[in-house]
Amino acid sequence: MRRFCHWRAPLFAMVILLLAGCSDSPSPTATREDAEEKPTYPVTWRFALEEIEGSVQHRYALELKERIESISDGNILIDIFPYGSIGTSIQLTDLAREGSVHLAFASPGHLADVVPETGVFTLHFLLSDDENVNRDILASDELVQMFSEPYAEQDLQLHGFVPEGWMVWTANKPLKTPADFDGLAFRTMTSKISAEAYRAYGATPTPAPYSQVYSDLQLQRIEGQANPVFAIEEMGFYEVQNTMTFARPAQFVTSVVSNKAWFDALPDDQKRWLEDALDEVSPLAWEVQAELNASRLETIRQNSDIRTVELTEQERDRFREASLSVRESYARIAGKRGEAILERLIGMVDEAESDVPDL
């Protein structure tokens, strides 16, 4: 069984002290005037990940590190903190908001309780079945602009969205109809809207931290879960489940954020280096997730006799119909601004799909 660090309040305090004491970078909450007084190079930035080494996020962070250290001629260094080294996903976002880390990944599965508008990415059958359409929408400046204000209200600077692949369901049986979810203790991410997505199918949503999923499946405290293939492999979930169901209900979409006060206070050259590095890495994210999800599926098949089930379009339509009521829940939770984002995202998908030539 794979083991991870358990979080405790004293450890949380120790981590903050360690991060504050060992870094030669300016405080994330320093004023712009302080930052512009002649920064002492090299400057080290801390980047916290929601996933372990070898994951999509880890590959992204390594690419960003390489590019920004090159662009800045070594003046900017990045320390990467994989999942489990300094906290859970919720705690990593808190560290970014408080300024204890400079950069972090923040996924809607937990962030929607803080920035409710991001819950739109946990809705099922909202994005296109066309991978190119989704890639263009998720990389668009328009999408980032729609979310910039909600993030800023929580002291976060949004730098972009990173897709990590289609969510795949695992359980000890195929999940081919909503009835198959009836009463199933299904692990969800911690946000309310994430739980609603599976409650609509009749499941019993059971929120749990990422690091706890393996043991909960093994001990049968939960009976199923959803993640991209690469995560199912690297976290070993396939070792304690016998069926993977490919329904393509939603992409796992995360976001790259920084502490807003820290970003606003950066000297112009540092801000430019960061933005240039992010622009260079963005197109690679799609390639990384595609490669990792494909190769990890082969690894799963080679190392287990797990059953893989791909739903027909008719079967997917049943789930699609059952999922529509969750959009009303999202609008209620996220308010008018969230409802406007949902409507615009639907429009963006429709517009992009209409431009796809018929084959």
Side-chain angles (χ1 to χ4, degrees):
M1 184 176 104
R2 305 177 187 212
R3 299 181 182 272
F4 295 85
C5 297
H6 291 285
W7 195 259
R8 295 291 185 271
L11 179 59
F12 183 79
M14 289 171 60
V15 166
I16 291 179
L17 288 172
L18 176 64
L19 292 176
C22 70
S23 174
D24 56 1
S25 62
S27 167
T29 54
T31 65
R32 186 174 183 84
E33 289 76 14
D34 292 338
E36 287 183 341
E37 279 180 0
K38 296 186 180 179
T40 302
Y41 289 117
V43 172
T44 301
W45 295 347
R46 301 179 287 270
F47 193 175
L49 316 185
E50 296 181 306
E51 296 167 0
I52 65 175
E53 291 184 7
S55 64
V56 170
Q57 291 186 13
H58 187 242
R59 287 273 294 273
Y60 180 102
L62 290 174
E63 294 285 353
L64 183 67
K65 173 182 173 68
E66 179 180 342
R67 278 160 175 73
I68 200 164
E69 292 180 0
S70 173
I71 290 171
S72 69
D73 292 326
N75 286 318
I76 302 297
L77 306 176
I78 291 185
D79 278 349
I80 299 170
F81 294 86
Y83 183 81
S85 59
I86 56 173
T88 64
S89 296
I90 294 173
Q91 291 153 346
L92 298 183
T93 299
D94 287 341
L95 288 171
R97 293 170 70 197
E98 295 163 3
S100 297
V101 298
H102 304 88
L103 296 161
F105 278 103
S107 64
H110 72 85
L111 188 63
D113 282 341
V114 177
V115 184
E117 293 85 353
T118 62
V120 73
F121 294 113
T122 67
L123 298 178
H124 290 187
F125 301 98
L126 178 62
L127 293 176
S128 176
D129 289 338
D130 188 311
E131 299 277 20
N132 291 324
V133 166
N134 293 334
R135 180 185 60 199
D136 293 344
I137 289 174
L138 293 172
S140 69
D141 290 337
E142 180 181 359
L143 191 68
V144 173
Q145 287 302 314
M146 284 195 290
F147 285 91
S148 292
E149 184 176 348
Y151 275 74
E153 290 171 359
Q154 298 300 324
D155 303 318
L156 295 171
Q157 177 73 33
L158 173 62
H159 295 289
F161 294 104
V162 178
E164 300 195 36
W166 291 108
M167 299 291 271
V168 176
W169 300 330
T170 71
N172 287 327
K173 63 179 182 179
L175 300 171
K176 301 181 73 172
T177 71
D180 293 326
F181 276 90
D182 192 31
L184 194 72
F186 199 83
R187 183 262 176 174
T188 66
M189 291 173 282
T190 54
S191 71
K192 294 177 183 177
I193 192 64
S194 178
E196 288 300 315
Y198 288 97
R199 187 174 285 114
Y201 301 151
T204 301
T206 309
Y210 191 46
S211 60
Q212 190 176 307
V213 176
Y214 185 100
S215 61
D216 281 357
L217 288 170
Q218 187 178 47
L219 298 173
Q220 298 183 0
R221 288 193 288 254
I222 55 177
E223 300 170 290
Q225 65 84 43
N227 261 295
V229 171
F230 82 87
I232 293 170
E233 188 278 329
E234 71 185 14
M235 300 298 284
F237 300 152
Y238 71 97
E239 299 169 357
V240 286
Q241 300 265 264
N242 65 31
T243 307
M244 296 171 63
T245 300
F246 291 74
R248 287 176 289 126
Q251 289 267 336
F252 184 89
V253 178
T254 189
S255 59
V256 180
V257 301
S258 66
N259 176 271
K260 181 165 175 52
W262 168 79
F263 178 77
D264 289 343
L266 284 179
D268 289 341
D269 54 354
Q270 293 187 27
K271 189 175 293 187
R272 184 178 66 255
W273 294 336
L274 175 57
E275 291 173 341
D276 288 349
L278 288 165
D279 286 344
E280 287 189 15
V281 172
S282 180
L284 296 176
W286 194 268
E287 298 173 16
V288 167
Q289 66 83 21
E291 183 272 320
L292 275 182
N293 283 308
S295 63
R296 300 291 174 82
L297 181 57
E298 287 305 308
T299 299
I300 290 173
R301 286 173 169 161
Q302 291 170 8
N303 294 338
S304 73
D305 57 0
I306 195 165
R307 179 182 180 186
T308 58
V309 176
E310 185 157 355
L311 298 192
T312 66
E313 286 307 307
Q314 185 178 24
E315 289 167 337
R316 293 183 71 229
D317 284 342
R318 295 193 187 102
F319 283 104
R320 182 181 288 107
E321 183 177 353
S323 75
L324 294 178
S325 64
V326 186
R327 299 185 185 187
E328 297 176 6
S329 300
Y330 166 76
R332 184 174 64 255
I333 293 170
K336 292 184 177 179
R337 186 165 59 186
E339 187 173 8
I341 287 174
L342 172 59
E343 291 177 358
R344 180 58 193 135
L345 189 51
I346 291 171
M348 291 172 73
V349 171
D350 289 342
E351 291 165 14
E353 288 182 334
S354 68
D355 291 337
V356 175
D358 296 329
L359 297 179

